[in-house]
Amino acid sequence: MTAAEQRGHTIADLVRSVGRLVILSVGILLTLQVIFVNINTLLTGFGILSLAVSFGAQSMVKDFLAGFFILFENQFVVGDVIEAAGKSGTVEHMTLRAVMLRDFKGCCTSSRTATWTR
């Protein structure tokens, strides 16, 4: 598999997971609109709640940003052999937040992307 095909598979998996999340969110909102007629107060409450949660989720945002820049800079893709944070192996699965490595002994290891330093 060429590097371009590997990058395409990695980005396709990412787009697929984000698409599922968007479709699920829109479906839930439309269902709630049918049930409650007016969901403005519900959306306002969710906005305030998400603001409160975002202060506690700063490490998750760091993970997402690090994962985005790994993909954007084409540092590695699924199928590459890498060494990061003292662990080495083949990239089995990759999301914006975490990377799953399979080492040369066959063990799987998952690691958050923001914990890696250069």
Side-chain angles (χ1 to χ4, degrees), residues 40-100:
N40 290 340
T41 55
L42 191 63
L43 289 176
T44 304
F46 283 147
I48 293 169
L49 180 66
S50 66
L51 181 65
V53 169
S54 68
F55 286 119
Q58 290 178 1
S59 64
M60 187 172 67
V61 173
K62 288 179 190 176
D63 291 336
F64 283 126
L65 287 175
F68 172 77
F69 282 113
I70 287 172
L71 284 174
F72 182 72
E73 295 172 353
N74 198 18
Q75 293 178 2
F76 59 86
V77 293
V78 174
D80 285 352
V81 176
I82 64 168
E83 180 179 353
K87 301 170 186 172
S88 61
T90 305
V91 177
E92 288 282 320
H93 181 71
M94 182 176 174
T95 63
L96 283 179
R97 186 156 191 235
V99 174
M100 183 179 292

Side-chain angles (χ1 to χ4, degrees), residues 14-28:
L14 175 69
V15 169
R16 190 175 302 120
S17 65
V18 170
R20 285 181 190 148
L21 181 66
V22 168
I23 290 171
L24 181 67
S25 299
V26 169
I28 288 172

